[in-house]
Amino acid sequence: MNRSSIRKYVGLVVLCLLLAGGAFVRSEAYREWLDQQRKARVAAALKSSGLRFEDITMAAGLQFRYAAPKLSEVLVPEDLHVIGAGLAVADVNGDGLMDFYVVTAAHEGSNQLYLNQGNATFKEAAATWGIQDLNRTVEEVSANPTVPPKNISFASLFPLFMDVNLDGKPDLLVAGLGGIKLFENRGSHFEVSSQVGAFLDAKNAQSLVPLDYNKDGFQDLYVVRYFADRDLFTTLDENTWVNSTYNATNGGTNTLYKNNGDGPFTDVTAQVGGGDRHWGFDAAAGDFTGNGALQILISNDFGPDVLFELQEGKFVDVSRRLGAPDRRLGMGVSFGYLDETARPFIHVSNAYHPGYRHEGNFLWHADSSGNFADEALPRGSNYCLWAWGSVFADFDLDGWQDLYVANGFISGTERKEFVPDIYVDTQAGKGDASFKMGTLEALPGAVLSRGSVFADMFSGEAAVGRLSFAGYQRDCLFLSHDGSFANVATQAGLDDYSDGRAVASIDIDNNGSLDLLVSTRNEGVKLFRNTLEPGMHWIGFQLTDKRGNALPSGVAVRIAQDGQELHRNATAGKSGFLAMSDARLVFGLRGSTKVDAEIRWPSGTVQRLTALQPGKYHVVIEP
């Protein structure tokens, strides 16, 4: 064999190996192999940390149940597109313990406020505090006698605690179908805010994001909207659904409200920017590039995710930094820190289901030039089935934040799928999910926007409620170790199959080990206690800005201990789909020596603290 033949032979062998290797890398077997490698690396860390959760829902006295709203009969069944239940954590009564509020969307359903009793139990007190019955239809009488009275309905979706009047007490905003409601905290009860007349938002609202875009010390508000501005309770217009599954532009327009400091909020979207109509589910705001600029990342359900950056006082669309527009069903957004840089990793929950929805989650990370790359696959957080809420928190207190993701769309009374797996049975009339999904996505907007088309497409199989639609899916706990994730939910005692929605971290006993609250569509709200005994290997910060706001956003905190640097960015507690977490910042520590901290406030003030004692929360007030 001559030299030329040998080169051709070797080249052919190399080509075959490359093709085979490429096929293997794209295969399910390769993903399983990667997952096994990650689990092996994390197993030792999980065992040594002692991290384990226990379900104390019943023992803690939690009895909340979510229910869907009663919408107009011409709309798509509400279970398919109105998603609950939202929850928010804060110290409502000022006793130093974290309480939480959880909402239902049911007509005349009761929202619930759980006050922390200090012994791992909670007392329900929404009625006493005046925030139980928000979902009632009320008659609005116009000042003009020629205008007939109008019935106004409301369905709660997402609560947010925010010190609107800067009196040191968390006030309450509730976003939902029918607008936004604002209640002022009087110390022993809430009252309908006297500022509602000035801040009257009667448009459908999905999520609320606190931010200080103009750095004046007053918390502004970014409102994410899913549905357009119409009365979903009484409308007879069937054309209320999306006009495209890839790039819908008929959703509600997101709104930026400026806090004027004297009470009222002003809609400044037209002047400052931030408007988007892609059926948004959630958003997060922060300095994602580490260059000091504020960004807002919006997770859109039917349409590409959108990234705005504040440039010279205006929000500019810089979505091109995310690469090509995505076509995934975006749910929630949260961000956390997995390395020693000041640039966070941004998790976006997306739908994933074997057989017909091969998408997976995003994990965006910016480089030094401000462009983003998706690191979900190499870091191991991409596949978590039909994902919704998520939260970053250092559950094992090793310094790196972990990630909990809630899963599951609709679990019926039967485990059989409403939209069956394409590989199970593709015979005519038996429900080829791929064909049906493709047909829906190819319909013109004028047809697709009639929501009944969606229900008609699957009406021959069974009604949702008896059968499941991506149901009975286990939540994920991605433990961070050596820069990658491994799903250790089962090993850590989080073997939960309910239809999870909002996820929030909460330290119920102020010991530094972060516990979990998970709201569900079908099994109420669940509380998982972190049994880790942290000792002195942690430090926490409760921040208060110079105006007295104890729930500030945009505060960058860097700590140093024994040569290690860690970063966090305050979000005023906002932490993913329909959720507000314990707003305090918690760092896990390698050792128990004293800690130095640098705190950068949105006003520009830089505060340096030295020799801080670990094993406790430090109250830090902006000079």
Side-chain angles (χ1 to χ4, degrees), residues 420-428 430-433:
D421 193 310
I422 183 175
Y423 300 114
V424 174
D425 193 344
T426 58
Q427 299 299 315
K430 296 293 182 66
D432 184 335

Side-chain angles (χ1 to χ4, degrees), residues 215-422:
K215 298 184 178 181
D216 64 354
F218 296 107
Q219 289 285 26
D220 310 303
L221 195 67
Y222 187 73
V223 181
V224 180
R225 305 188 193 276
Y226 194 74
F227 292 100
D229 180 18
R230 64 180 67 198
D231 186 344
L232 300 176
F233 302 94
T234 63
T235 182
L236 297 179
D237 183 3
E238 292 186 355
N239 296 292
T240 57
W241 197 230
V242 297
N243 59 8
S244 168
T245 57
Y246 287 131
N247 191 27
T249 56
N250 63 337
T253 302
N254 296 350
T255 308
L256 176 66
Y257 282 104
K258 175 187 175 183
N259 186 340
N260 297 319
D262 54 358
F265 287 78
T266 302
D267 182 352
V268 295
T269 314
Q271 298 79 22
V272 181
D276 183 63
R277 295 195 64 186
H278 284 109
W279 293 74
F281 257 147
D282 194 22
D287 178 9
F288 301 143
T289 57
N291 62 7
L294 177 65
Q295 290 96 24
I296 300 175
L297 179 60
I298 305 162
S299 175
N300 286 314
D301 192 11
F302 297 103
D305 295 347
V306 173
L307 179 67
F308 288 112
E309 181 174 86
L310 192 64
Q311 299 178 2
E312 298 180 353
K314 295 184 182 298
F315 279 109
V316 178
D317 189 336
V318 293
S319 304
R320 65 184 183 280
R321 296 184 188 173
L322 300 174
D326 74 279
R327 293 294 183 258
R328 305 185 187 189
L329 301 181
M331 311 304 184
V333 188
S334 59
F335 65 92
Y337 294 82
L338 307 177
D339 57 25
E340 293 191 2
T341 72
R343 299 189 299 274
F345 290 76
I346 312 166
H347 169 88
V348 179
S349 297
N350 296 301
Y352 170 75
H353 196 283
Y356 61 84
R357 186 60 72 179
H358 289 184
E359 295 178 358
N361 303 319
F362 287 122
L363 187 67
W364 298 109
H365 192 223
D367 59 22
S368 57
S369 63
N371 293 317
F372 291 78
D374 177 20
E375 299 189 15
L377 180 60
R379 290 185 183 268
S381 62
N382 51 323
Y383 296 118
C384 192
L385 299 177
W386 208 286
W388 294 98
S390 63
V391 64
F392 280 92
D394 188 0
F395 293 116
D396 60 353
L397 297 176
D398 66 349
W400 314 119
Q401 290 189 299
D402 312 300
L403 177 65
Y404 186 92
V405 182
N407 271 338
F409 190 13
I410 298 175
S411 295
T413 56
E414 297 182 15
R415 285 182 175 262
K416 183 179 179 182
E417 281 286 298
F418 172 65
V419 183
D421 193 310
I422 183 175

Side-chain angles (χ1 to χ4, degrees), residues 510-512 534-540 587 589 591-593 595 612-618:
N510 293 334
N511 71 344
M536 302 292 286
H537 289 267
W538 68 281
I539 191 169
F587 296 78
L589 302 174
S592 56
T593 58
V595 176
L612 297 174
Q613 184 69 37
K616 61 181 290 188
Y617 285 101
H618 294 265

Side-chain angles (χ1 to χ4, degrees), residues 27-102:
S27 69
E28 190 71 29
Y30 176 69
R31 289 196 290 268
E32 291 178 359
W33 179 81
L34 276 180
D35 191 52
Q36 290 300 321
Q37 294 300 308
R38 295 187 188 101
K39 285 183 177 179
R41 289 198 300 270
V42 173
L46 178 64
K47 183 177 180 180
S48 63
S49 71
L51 178 64
R52 188 163 184 83
F53 291 86
E54 62 178 1
D55 187 342
I56 63 169
T57 305
M58 296 303 294
L62 310 184
Q63 297 180 339
F64 171 82
R65 299 290 296 187
Y66 169 80
K70 183 174 177 56
L71 303 181
S72 170
E73 60 184 15
V74 303
L75 302 182
V76 178
E78 51 265 20
D79 256 348
L80 293 180
H81 59 204
V82 178
I83 311 300
L87 57 85
V89 175
D91 180 7
V92 172
N93 54 6
D95 64 355
L97 298 170
M98 288 295 143
D99 315 301
F100 72 94
Y101 182 66
V102 59

